[in-house]
Amino acid sequence: MKALEEMNNVEKGYILAKLFSKNLKEISLFIQQETERFRKHEEYMRSIWADKTLITANFWFGLVENTERILKQYNVMLQRNPRVFSDQLFDG
């Protein structure tokens, strides 16, 4: 097995998913709740987002949008399969 420092994001995500495989449903639900929270408060968050930051509000909400799409497309598979969980949510 590679050292953690030598792993890419997908490999780290797979280890995380394997360690908590019995909790993938709860983890997926938490991720979904967080995307909903970001959407609910999007206007406010954009209004207070600092200018000229490394991560822009548009970039951040693009990640939220991508995560929403993944949750919709792979819903049950994210909860049951550590490989799908890591491949889809830790694509780097």
Side-chain angles (χ1 to χ4, degrees):
M1 182 195 289
K2 291 181 185 178
L4 193 58
E5 302 84 29
E6 297 172 357
M7 293 181 185
N8 62 36
N9 286 345
V10 174
E11 293 166 330
K12 291 175 186 176
Y14 182 69
I15 288 177
L16 179 71
K18 289 294 282 183
L19 285 171
F20 297 101
S21 60
K22 292 182 180 177
N23 302 99
L24 288 181
K25 183 175 183 176
E26 291 83 3
I27 294 169
S28 297
L29 178 60
F30 173 76
I31 293 169
Q32 181 179 359
Q33 290 169 342
E34 286 301 293
T35 60
E36 291 168 0
R37 183 177 65 86
F38 283 119
R39 286 298 185 195
K40 181 179 178 183
H41 302 290
E42 181 174 358
E43 186 176 324
Y44 171 72
M45 292 180 79
R46 284 182 178 275
S47 74
I48 63 168
W49 203 280
D51 291 336
K52 299 180 182 175
T53 58
L54 180 63
I55 297 177
T56 65
N58 285 339
F59 178 78
W60 181 260
F61 283 99
L63 293 175
V64 171
E65 182 178 340
N66 187 47
T67 303
E68 289 170 330
R69 181 186 54 76
I70 290 167
L71 289 169
K72 185 176 181 180
Q73 185 174 354
Y74 295 96
N75 185 9
V76 175
M77 290 301 296
L78 291 171
Q79 299 171 14
R80 294 184 182 164
N81 189 318
R83 182 61 67 193
V84 172
F85 185 89
S86 62
D87 286 346
Q88 296 305 315
L89 294 174
F90 290 83
D91 64 356

